[in-house]
Amino acid sequence: MEALAVRLSGLDPYVDGAIRIVAFYDTLMRRRVDLPALARASAGLAECVAGIRIHGTGRAIRVSPEGRDATAPPAPATTTVPITLDEEEIGTVWLERTGPANPLDDVLLDRLALAAAAAVERYGPARTTMADPALVELAISSDSDEAARARALRLLGFAADLPVRVVAVRSPLPLDRIGGLVCPARPVKAAPLADVGVILATTVDVARFPAGARAGIGAADSPDRSWREARTALRFATSREPVVRHADLGALALLAEVPRAASRDNADVAGIARVAGNPEDLETLDTYCATGSLRRAAELLHLHHSSVARRVEQIGRTLDIDLTDPTGLTRARLALTAWRLLED
């Protein structure tokens, strides 16, 4: 092959230059360089500003011939070539040449586009946490076929052999901050979808969720099923238990499948709605249901044992349930959970 290249290069200066460009990018690809390194090498080779943009991030990498980020306003692109991966256009590469066009620019950009596609497939589009919501939705949607889902995950930076956990989040804090906290080792991506934040991560540290955040964590291996589980688990999150793993819900997850009309018509759930009119009673019932003990509930509520006992007795009369009986306590727990799901 090298002998053939030498013979061809002697025939035409253009062929010689093209072969050198091909060899240049082959070397970069063998060294497995990332997108910024590709842009720097291309700008140095072309002796003008080179740019790379990946649609999934919306961010452009522009590098000057000196190897630094180009800070001047972008000049019109003299030549542009799309980056394609699996027959899908995922971005563009370009040159901002101010002087006469170089006849080898097309060859350079073709090779740069190929190298950029390989880098995206290997590393993902960016090292940032925030991602394109459309790409995240494609990865977790039940309407996506497996090929499209795999491509979306690859573009987001997840390797095919790594599990992806899906988390549904509601929090006043920025999603990228939460993602960085719960999965500091990366890879992790986040995006808002409607009124819920989505975090995709290879691992999730439940203990690192910040105060004020509520989250549901899916358990399934498939991202679409994990997303459904995460949304369900989020509905069970409370101030007392702000982070819920779907795997920990067990049979309780079935309550999320009960039609709303059926829950509203249930006498126990209707009774909880009446109790909820008094925040103190609701807090007392919640604490008692969580502990199953009058004494422990009194400690958590900072009240005397007898005061809590009187409240629980009164709440029991309102619900028409004996809360001191194990069966009655179970009914109250289920009714309280069903009412919360209605309120979500």
Side-chain angles (χ1 to χ4, degrees), residues 201-235:
T202 52
T203 58
V204 178
D205 188 341
V206 176
R208 293 177 63 90
F209 277 93
R214 295 194 182 186
I217 303 173
D221 291 332
S222 176
D224 58 326
R225 293 197 302 273
S226 185
W227 169 233
R228 291 196 298 271
E229 292 177 350
R231 284 184 300 171
T232 296
L234 178 61
R235 295 181 63 193

Side-chain angles (χ1 to χ4, degrees), residues 9-260:
S9 66
L11 297 177
D12 189 321
Y14 175 85
V15 174
D16 181 39
I19 290 174
R20 292 179 186 277
I21 289 173
V22 171
F24 178 81
Y25 281 99
D26 283 350
T27 300
L28 292 177
M29 292 171 71
R30 282 197 302 271
R31 292 177 178 173
R32 304 168 71 88
V33 299
D34 58 12
L35 293 177
L38 277 174
R40 286 194 300 273
S42 300
L45 182 63
E47 298 182 335
C48 68
V49 172
I52 302 174
R53 176 181 288 106
I54 303 300
H55 299 329
T57 66
R59 173 175 168 261
I61 302 172
R62 295 176 61 244
V63 182
S64 70
E66 294 77 25
R68 295 187 292 270
D69 290 344
T71 56
T78 51
T79 315
T80 302
V81 171
I83 304 170
T84 59
L85 183 63
D86 294 339
E87 300 181 354
E88 178 184 350
E89 182 177 330
I90 63 168
T92 55
V93 294
W94 69 91
L95 296 177
E96 300 173 18
R97 192 178 292 285
T98 55
N102 188 310
L104 291 169
D105 283 352
D106 288 340
V107 178
L108 186 153
L109 285 177
D110 282 341
R111 300 305 298 183
L112 173 56
L114 287 173
V120 167
E121 189 169 23
R122 184 180 303 118
Y123 298 115
R127 296 298 182 181
T128 58
T129 298
M130 296 305 293
D132 180 4
L135 205 56
V136 171
E137 187 170 13
L138 186 62
I140 63 176
S141 173
S142 58
D143 295 330
S144 301
D145 58 51
E146 289 307 311
R149 191 186 325 282
R151 185 184 305 116
L153 289 171
R154 185 168 64 248
L155 292 175
L156 288 167
F158 294 99
D161 58 343
L162 289 178
V164 178
R165 299 287 173 249
V166 184
V167 184
V169 181
R170 285 198 179 99
S171 173
L173 296 176
L175 270 178
D176 57 344
R177 180 179 171 188
I178 297 174
L181 286 172
V182 301
C183 188
R186 307 279 179 109
V188 56
K189 295 292 179 181
L193 287 184
D195 64 334
V196 179
V198 184
I199 294 176
L200 305 179
T202 52
T203 58
V204 178
D205 188 341
V206 176
R208 293 177 63 90
F209 277 93
R214 295 194 182 186
I217 303 173
D221 291 332
S222 176
D224 58 326
R225 293 197 302 273
S226 185
W227 169 233
R228 291 196 298 271
E229 292 177 350
R231 284 184 300 171
T232 296
L234 178 61
R235 295 181 63 193
F236 285 85
T238 66
S239 57
R240 185 180 302 282
E241 189 178 6
V243 180
V244 177
R245 289 187 286 206
H246 188 273
D248 295 336
L249 288 174
L252 284 176
L254 296 174
L255 288 176
E257 307 298 325
V258 176
R260 288 179 177 269

